[in-house]
Amino acid sequence: RIFFMNYATINDFDEVWNIFQENKKWFPHVRTSHVKNRLNWGQVILQDGVVITQQEYKKNGKIGKDSDVSVKKGDYIIHQIINSNPKNGNAKKVIEEYFDHVNQNVYLTVRSENIPANKFYEKVGMTNVGYINWSKGKMPGNVWLKRLDK
């Protein structure tokens, strides 16, 4: 099955930014310039109240400076996924459509302390494949992978 994702444009900035603002607890680092750049680069999906910022890797390398996980050119990374109406099931539906849409390995990183998110990634069939640390090791995180079934 082919899924068509709704890629947001700069005209969707206010809606996307509001969803980030409502979830500042988990995304305090996201700035307006970050969201505007991703919108201009075609890296934001806005579908059924769910925002996914993502991109395709253009080269091989580590997923982060302090990580034991390497990615390959052609793999994808989800930078953020946010449901504007948590618990309505749309995040699960949209991320599963996204996996089908890109049809490649999809990675994401999340803070270890974000228990709901970590449980969610497990529920949608992702595997915890390693670690990443931010803030010079003060903020530990997990690396999740949805492996393409070949």
Side-chain angles (χ1 to χ4, degrees):
R1 297 188 305 169
I2 296 176
F3 286 95
F4 295 97
M5 304 303 296
N6 182 48
Y7 283 83
T9 68
I10 196 68
N11 296 334
D12 299 305
F13 172 78
D14 289 342
E15 185 177 353
V16 171
W17 180 246
N18 286 338
I19 293 170
F20 273 104
Q21 291 302 101
E22 290 163 8
N23 292 275
K24 250 188 161 358
K25 175 182 179 188
W26 298 113
F27 303 103
H29 57 288
V30 174
R31 307 276 177 259
T32 56
S33 59
H34 170 84
V35 173
K36 286 179 178 171
N37 285 340
R38 294 230 179 264
L39 285 164
N40 285 324
W41 298 333
Q43 296 178 347
V44 181
I45 291 167
L46 176 59
Q47 191 157 312
D48 301 328
V50 176
V51 171
I52 296 178
T53 64
Q54 52 82 48
Q55 73 187 90
E56 180 181 349
Y57 278 105
K58 300 301 181 197
K59 59 184 184 186
N60 299 339
K62 283 186 133 183
I63 200 164
K65 275 186 237 153
D66 185 359
S67 177
D68 61 347
V69 176
S70 293
V71 297
K72 293 187 175 72
K73 179 180 177 180
D75 290 340
Y76 279 75
I77 182 163
I78 291 177
H79 296 290
Q80 289 99 16
I81 176 170
I82 317 169
N83 190 347
S84 60
N85 293 298
K87 307 257 188 268
N88 69 358
N90 282 357
K92 183 176 189 292
K93 180 176 80 66
V94 171
I95 200 171
E96 288 172 349
E97 290 173 0
Y98 175 78
F99 294 150
D100 287 338
H101 171 70
V102 297
N103 200 32
Q104 290 295 333
N105 290 332
V106 177
Y107 290 86
L108 61 77
T109 61
V110 63
R111 285 183 247 172
S112 301
E113 70 185 38
N114 189 342
I115 305 299
N118 282 284
K119 284 183 177 166
F120 173 75
Y121 301 131
E122 190 171 14
K123 189 168 93 176
V124 298
M126 299 186 84
T127 306
N128 187 334
V129 293
Y131 74 86
I132 186 167
N133 292 311
W134 298 282
S135 300
K136 298 186 170 92
K138 293 188 192 81
M139 189 185 294
N142 298 319
V143 180
W144 290 88
L145 166 63
K146 176 65 175 180
R147 196 174 303 281
L148 176 65
D149 298 325
K150 288 196 172 158

